[in-house]
Amino acid sequence: EVQLVQSGAEVKKPGESLKISCKGSGYSFTSYWIAWVRQMPGKGLEWMGIIYPGDSDTRYSPSFQGQVAISADKSISTAYLQWSSLKASDTAMYYCATSYSSPNNWFDPWGQGTLVTVSS
Amino acid sequence: QSVLTQPPSASGTPGQRVSISCSGSSSNIGSNTVNWYQQLPGTAPKLLIYSNNQRPSGVPDRFSGSRSGTSASLAISGLQSEDEADYYCAAWDDSLNGHWVFGGGTKVTVL
């Protein structure tokens, strides 16, 4: 069974850095793209970017380019989403999801989500 | 403001048919397939329909999808209480080197 398990909830202060993770299991990690999706409180889904762990090919949404960094470590089947300086507006639930073979295929399955709270 | 436009809400009584529209443009729905995701309260989104009208294994056949031109729609026939959720359409957009776009989501309420 293809499964994504995300790291736990985080509470951070503005200006701090953060790296959250998404570990894949039950499939060939290097054959699936992994996307990151943001959901702000009470709002809809926003695609942030996607990475192919096989060769680290990474694409970003124009809205998130330069704001976050997406990476992957195929040796431990884990993808990451990273901020160097958090803002209060980064408070949201973040989901990872897999896309087989191509960045423009559907997302299935999704991780359970990581809640990030940024507050002074 | 989402790139894909969905109505914010839809509702129906048990057993009724509910339809949700998703309007886009030539660079997304007009040239790429549409996927639909269901998000039950407090849970992660789940793939409901892919490639316009395909149901993943385990999704009841009362969920159906279609696409025409730059619009798509999701229909739920025989509405059930457990269908109360948020529904999102999504499509790949060929502009700006390619990126995914989502609809703003439609909250379906079972009356």
Side-chain angles (χ1 to χ4, degrees):
Chain A
E1 178 197 7
V2 177
Q3 193 173 12
L4 298 176
V5 177
Q6 298 185 231
S7 50
E10 301 274 1
V11 179
K12 292 289 192 179
K13 291 182 166 40
E16 292 186 332
S17 62
L18 175 64
K19 193 174 190 178
I20 62 175
S21 66
C22 169
K23 183 172 175 62
S25 63
Y27 70 101
S28 173
F29 187 71
T30 52
S31 298
Y32 286 65
W33 292 75
I34 292 190
W36 286 96
V37 176
R38 182 176 79 173
Q39 187 168 38
M40 298 177 77
K43 302 297 184 184
L45 305 174
E46 301 172 89
W47 180 74
M48 302 176 73
I50 197 166
I51 187 166
Y52 188 67
D55 61 7
S56 294
D57 183 5
T58 308
R59 324 276 178 91
Y60 290 95
S61 161
S63 301
F64 290 93
Q65 179 84 47
Q67 308 304 308
V68 296
I70 294 172
S71 60
D73 184 342
K74 59 187 179 184
S75 69
I76 54 172
S77 301
T78 300
Y80 301 97
L81 179 64
Q82 185 172 7
W83 295 260
S84 58
S85 181
L86 287 160
K87 311 184 206 46
S89 57
D90 292 318
T91 294
M93 182 72 83
Y94 293 88
Y95 295 102
C96 62
T98 60
S99 179
Y100 177 65
S101 170
S102 171
N104 57 344
N105 275 338
W106 51 91
F107 300 140
D108 182 46
W110 295 59
Q112 83 278 16
T114 295
L115 180 62
V116 173
T117 304
V118 183
S119 174
S120 54
Chain B
Q1 189 82 357
S2 301
V3 174
L4 304 182
T5 301
Q6 296 180 237
S9 63
S11 62
T13 56
Q16 276 191 328
R17 176 185 169 93
V18 168
S19 185
I20 301 168
S21 61
C22 175
S23 177
S25 68
S26 58
S27 62
N28 42 66
I29 295 178
S31 50
N32 295 289
T33 58
V34 177
N35 307 313
W36 290 89
Y37 300 93
Q38 178 192 56
Q39 188 175 32
L40 296 168
T43 70
K46 173 191 134 181
L47 180 66
L48 191 67
I49 297 286
Y50 66 96
S51 294
N52 300 327
N53 55 17
Q54 301 299 301
R55 281 187 311 276
S57 172
V59 172
D61 60 6
R62 53 203 181 73
F63 291 95
S64 62
S66 63
R67 180 189 70 166
S68 178
T70 58
S71 294
S73 66
L74 173 72
I76 311 173
S77 58
L79 192 65
Q80 298 185 6
S81 58
E82 58 261 38
D83 299 333
E84 190 157 289
D86 293 319
Y87 294 84
Y88 295 91
C89 59
W92 182 259
D93 192 301
D94 292 328
S95 67
L96 301 171
N97 294 319
H99 59 285
W100 278 99
V101 290
F102 283 94
T106 299
K107 168 71 177 174
V108 169
T109 302
V110 182
L111 301 171

